[in-house]
């Protein structure tokens, strides 16, 4: 029997779901129990002969890597993108891709959801709008109820914790978002948990640190020899920056699929919340060591420091990753930025045409 009691106003979620394996719960003591959702024993049943099919709403940097990883494991993967060029790139990888506008979702694309066993949401919130998909939750709710979905994952951000003064924060730490986008992230987390409860689907939230990987790292930024963006300059003011290699994000997501825990929130970050300045210095040394004398443009921390307002600092915190290790059994491939950046530079060949 399904029981869902939803609030008249949004709040941080307290979610409970009952399955044959036991009771799983996520509780934040500082907030009242706005959601209680029992899915019933029938929610845990699964056809052993059914093929694993992942649908990724928003096949960006993380989605593309996860799709390739799952495909190599024999999964069928379908996703959405926003341009013809991106669609072609994904199809060349052997993936099914649909051009999709989250602001005006096409029903025929959403209809495909019912044929998939897993759903990953990687569509970021928009300032002044919030999560664009959740504005169409009635369209989504029916497809979640009528389909074969067993697992739903939402990619969020460790930015929801705000500034803890450098303290170590875990998933029980009360979110205190300081930016409009971080506030929108919290609202989106709650919205997807509500929707999954209504649709009788197991949902998990993944709060990611700063994402990096091949083609998107401090090494790549230095090799481009371009001025730092405003956002990059501001991040140099932080004493601590949590980050995570895309391969380890994929690890955590796949581990959650194997061990679903309804309503659970996971921090996905590495073991070394080092200052961005330190990371860039290490990356620059790696580049100079491999291709000496080829870096002339100064896009380092020193160039950024002079442009940071005195005393400016945002999001000071260290993010605990204990839960993904103890509950999901994740062993990080790249526990530090040093190991991650070394693996990235090993993949790069002749960026300067060096023979």
């Amino acid at each position: 029997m399904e029981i869902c009691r939803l609030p008249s106003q949004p709040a941080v979620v307290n979610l409970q779901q009952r399955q044959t394996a036991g009771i799983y719960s996520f509780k934040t003591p500082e907030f009242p129990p706005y959601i209680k959702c029992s899915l019933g024993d029938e929610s845990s049943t699964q056809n052993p002969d059914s093929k694993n099919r992942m649908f990724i709403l928003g096949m960006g940097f993380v989605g593309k890597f996860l799709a390739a990883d799952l495909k190599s494991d024999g999964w069928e993967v379908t996703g959405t993108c926003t341009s013809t060029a991106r669609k072609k790139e994904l199809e060349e990888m052997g993936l099914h891709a649909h051009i999709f506008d989250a602001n005006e979702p096409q029903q025929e694309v959403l209809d495909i959801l019912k044929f998939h066993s897993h759903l990953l949401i990687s569509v970021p919130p928009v300032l002044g709008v919030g999560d664009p998909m959740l504005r169409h939750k009635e369209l989504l709710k029916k497809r979640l109820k009528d389909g074969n979905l067993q697992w739903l994952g939402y990619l969020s951000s460790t930015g929801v914790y705000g500034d803890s003064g450098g303290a170590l924060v875990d998933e029980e730490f009360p979110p205190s978002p300081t930016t409009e986008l971080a506030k929108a992230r919290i609202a989106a987390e709650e919205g997807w948990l509500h929707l999954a409860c209504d649709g009788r689907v197991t949902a998990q939230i993944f709060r990611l640190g700063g994402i990096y990987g091949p083609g998107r790292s401090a090494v790549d930024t230095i090799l481009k020899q371009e001025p730092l963006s405003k956002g990059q300059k501001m991040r140099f003011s932080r004493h601590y920056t949590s980050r995570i290699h895309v391969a380890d994000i994929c690890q955590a997501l796949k581990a959650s699929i194997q061990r679903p825990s309804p309503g659970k929130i996971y921090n996905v970050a590495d073991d070394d919340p080092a200052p961005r300045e330190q990371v860039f210095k290490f990356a620059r040394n790696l580049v100079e060591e491999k291709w000496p004398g080829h870096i002339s443009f100064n896009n380092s921390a020193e160039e950024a420091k002079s442009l940071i307002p005195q005393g400016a600092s945002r999001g000071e915190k260290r993010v605990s990753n204990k839960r993904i290790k103890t509950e999901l059994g994740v062993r990080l491939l790249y526990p530090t930025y040093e190991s991650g950046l070394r693996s990235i530079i090993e993949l790069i060949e002749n960026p300067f045409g060096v023979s």
Side-chain angles (χ1 to χ4, degrees):
M1 177 177 179
E2 181 185 2
I3 303 170
C4 287
R5 296 197 296 274
L6 303 182
S8 57
Q9 75 267 29
V12 172
V13 171
N14 181 324
L15 183 71
Q16 291 188 333
Q17 296 175 317
R18 185 181 299 272
Q19 294 188 327
T20 53
I23 298 174
Y24 306 84
S25 64
F26 161 65
K27 296 183 179 179
T28 303
E30 292 76 12
F31 300 93
Y34 284 100
I35 296 182
K36 292 190 176 182
C37 182
S38 174
L39 297 182
D41 291 347
E42 67 273 15
S43 67
S44 62
T45 60
Q46 179 179 347
N47 180 358
D49 297 324
S50 63
K51 183 178 177 64
N52 287 321
R53 294 181 172 90
M54 173 67 78
F55 192 97
I56 302 176
L57 271 172
M59 204 179 284
F61 188 74
V62 173
K64 182 179 74 171
F65 273 85
L66 178 65
D69 198 358
L70 292 175
K71 188 173 184 297
S72 68
D73 288 341
W75 284 58
E76 184 176 304
V77 184
T78 302
T80 68
C81 58
T82 57
S83 71
T84 303
R86 184 67 166 178
K87 174 179 166 66
K88 181 179 179 182
E89 176 190 346
L90 294 170
E91 288 178 341
E92 287 174 351
M93 294 171 59
L95 306 171
H96 306 294
H98 302 271
I99 297 177
F100 185 79
D101 183 353
N103 294 295
E104 298 179 2
Q106 301 95 317
Q107 293 196 37
E108 59 270 24
V109 175
L110 293 181
D111 285 340
I112 299 171
L113 276 176
K114 70 177 73 173
F115 302 110
H116 289 76
S117 55
H118 298 73
L119 169 64
L120 181 70
I121 297 98
S122 183
V123 177
V126 179
L127 278 176
V129 174
D131 189 304
M133 287 302 302
L134 289 175
R135 294 190 302 164
H136 310 280
K137 56 187 176 184
E138 292 306 317
L139 286 175
L140 288 164
K141 188 186 300 183
K142 178 173 174 54
R143 286 155 179 84
L144 295 186
K145 282 184 176 179
D146 295 345
N148 300 312
L149 280 177
Q150 304 149 18
W151 181 95
L152 182 152
Y154 176 73
L155 300 187
S156 186
S157 165
T158 57
V160 301
Y161 294 115
D163 191 339
S164 70
L168 188 69
V169 300
D170 62 13
E171 293 85 351
E172 305 301 323
F173 188 89
S176 183
T178 55
T179 68
E180 291 306 311
L181 276 177
K183 292 174 184 177
R185 283 284 188 194
I186 285 289
E189 289 182 1
E190 296 167 6
W192 282 106
L193 288 176
H194 276 262
L195 190 61
C197 178
D198 287 347
R200 303 167 61 78
V201 178
T202 295
Q204 289 82 196
I205 304 296
F206 302 91
R207 292 174 176 167
L208 310 182
I211 304 164
Y212 77 102
R216 177 174 164 171
S217 71
V219 166
D220 295 281
T221 300
I222 287 169
L223 288 174
K224 289 175 185 175
Q225 302 196 67
E226 296 174 351
L228 297 170
S229 69
K230 181 179 178 181
Q232 287 172 324
K233 292 170 185 174
M234 288 302 299
R235 287 193 288 273
F236 272 105
S237 67
R238 299 180 186 174
H239 292 108
Y240 304 103
T241 298
S242 66
R243 57 184 57 78
I244 185 72
H245 194 287
V246 66
D248 284 320
I249 297 174
C250 293
Q251 260 210 101
L253 294 173
K254 290 170 69 177
S256 170
I257 289 170
Q258 293 297 318
R259 303 180 185 183
S261 187
K264 217 49 173 296
I265 292 177
Y266 298 100
N267 291 337
V268 187
D270 68 17
D271 298 336
D272 191 6
R276 190 174 175 85
E277 175 182 356
Q278 183 176 315
V279 175
F280 260 67
K281 183 177 180 180
F282 181 79
R284 192 178 184 90
N285 288 341
L286 284 181
V287 173
E288 288 285 6
E289 181 181 334
K290 189 166 184 178
W291 301 289
H294 284 82
I295 296 294
S296 57
F297 192 86
N298 184 17
N299 56 6
S300 64
E302 287 71 23
E303 183 261 346
K305 276 183 175 179
S306 63
L307 301 173
I308 299 172
Q310 185 65 30
S313 181
R314 300 189 305 161
E316 291 292 355
K317 59 187 171 294
R318 292 175 297 126
V319 178
S320 169
N321 59 18
K322 183 179 179 181
R323 179 173 285 176
I324 62 170
K325 294 178 177 179
T326 58
E327 297 186 16
L328 296 181
V330 171
R331 296 182 63 182
L332 295 176
L333 297 169
Y334 306 105
T336 69
Y337 70 87
E338 292 183 352
S339 58
L341 292 179
R342 283 196 181 99
S343 73
I344 288 169
I345 202 167
E346 287 173 2
L347 298 174
I348 301 174
E349 297 182 4
N350 296 341
F352 307 104
V354 179
S355 58

